[in-house]
Structures are given as structure tokens and as C-alpha cells.
Amino acid sequence: MTLESGLLNELLRQAGNHLWQSTVFAVAAFLLTLALRSTHARARHWILLVASLKFLVPFALLAKLGDLLGSRVVPAAPAAHIPFAVGQMVQPFVLPEPVAPIIVAAPTHELTFPIHAVVFVVWLTGFAAVLFHWWDRWRRVRAVVSAAVLLREGREADALRRVRSKGRLRLPDIRLVSSAA
């Protein structure tokens, strides 16, 4: 195994760990928002935003950053000087493992796929499907809005004008449209 393939395997393993942990976290956050349906939308929004941010920031990166910052901020505790005999007495009893002969397999040229690479590809396929679904829905909404009729008169247009004139609405470029869809 070369250095590049070892590094690639390690990156795939780390990415796989990050993705499954983030997916479980997102599912838990989604279930929490379902449980909190009667609360403010703002609370549910923040829960889902944090779950989305979990996908962007790997926890392993935060842990490593904490290790680096922790060693600079908190002084290390002095090591306790325990005599060797005491250190041996407090160790648990361990039975010696039987020695087995070492068998070295002949190198094969078969291509094996680690499970983390398969999980990563499955997750990436699901991500692409969700992204395509969102894009397709956005495209449909844009088509409905572009085919809608601009409302200049009526109760709704009058209400929008009143809100604008009282200064409660600071977005002057809002268009009011009507669509059968």
C-alpha cells in the first residue's frame, strides 16, 4: 500500500465517519423539530440550521482544534511519580495470549473496496438525489411565479400599499402576484 492510497483510505474513513455522524445528528434534529411543532418557527429553524452546519464542520476537526487550544490554554498537570512496583500492582490481571504462527499471505492483485468507501458513495448518491429534488422544486416554483399575473388593484394590493406607507415594510421591491397554481 502506497502513501497516497493510505492517505486516501484515511480521508475516506474520516469522511465516512463524519457523514454518518452528521446524518444521525440531522435525523435527531428533524425528529426534535417534529416534536416541537407547536413552538415558534424560529426555534425549529435554529435546530435545523445547527444540524445543517454539522455537515459543514466535522466534529473531529473541532476536537483536534480543542486539543490544540487546550494544550496552550490549560497548563499540563504534573506527572505523578509512582514507584514501579506500585504501578505493577494496580494493573489488572491479564492472561498471556497464546502465540500463533505468523502466516504471510502472498500479495494478490485483487481490488478490494473498503466499506467506508461504499458508505460514502451511497451517501453521496442520496445527497445528489436530494439536491436534484430541491432544484426541481425551485425550478417549478420559478415557472409558476413567472407565469403569474401582477396585481396592482384589489384588497391585497391596497393592504400592501398601507403597510409600505406606514414604514413597517422596508422592502420596496416586493411584487404581489396571483396564480391559479
Side-chain angles (χ1 to χ4, degrees):
M1 182 163 60
T2 64
L3 180 63
E4 292 83 21
S5 66
L7 182 62
L8 179 63
N9 280 338
E10 180 62 21
L11 285 175
L12 284 173
R13 188 182 70 75
Q14 289 288 339
N17 277 338
H18 170 65
L19 292 177
W20 80 259
Q21 290 169 5
S22 297
T23 303
V24 168
F25 187 77
V27 167
F30 177 72
L31 293 175
L32 181 62
T33 59
L34 286 180
L36 298 175
R37 275 183 286 196
S38 61
T39 62
H40 294 287
R42 184 182 319 132
R44 295 188 309 272
H45 166 76
W46 280 105
I47 291 169
L48 291 175
L49 182 67
V50 168
S52 298
L53 291 177
K54 172 66 176 103
F55 276 101
L56 294 176
V57 181
F59 183 73
L61 179 67
L62 292 176
K64 191 66 166 172
L65 185 63
D67 286 344
L68 292 174
L69 292 177
S71 64
R72 293 183 184 162
V73 175
V74 179
H81 296 289
I82 300 175
F84 180 74
V86 174
Q88 290 296 318
M89 288 189 316
V90 298
Q91 296 297 320
F93 293 110
V94 178
L95 296 176
E97 294 184 22
V99 177
I102 299 174
I103 300 172
V104 178
T108 61
H109 297 290
E110 294 179 19
L111 186 60
T112 59
F113 293 109
I115 189 67
H116 53 269
V118 173
V119 169
F120 179 72
V121 167
V122 168
W123 182 88
L124 192 61
T125 304
F127 173 76
V130 169
L131 195 64
F132 176 76
H133 177 70
W134 284 351
W135 173 80
D136 186 50
R137 286 176 53 191
W138 178 250
R139 188 182 54 81
R140 290 180 187 181
V141 167
R142 283 189 68 183
V144 167
V145 169
S146 65
V149 176
L150 184 64
L151 290 180
R152 297 184 189 274
E153 300 300 323
R155 280 189 338 202
E156 294 83 4
D158 293 339
L160 182 60
R161 273 190 226 101
R162 277 194 308 270
V163 170
R164 272 192 195 144
S165 67
K166 291 182 180 180
R168 292 182 188 162
L169 191 60
R170 297 177 188 213
L171 300 173
D173 59 340
I174 292 178
R175 295 182 307 144
L176 188 60
V177 295
S178 175
S179 171

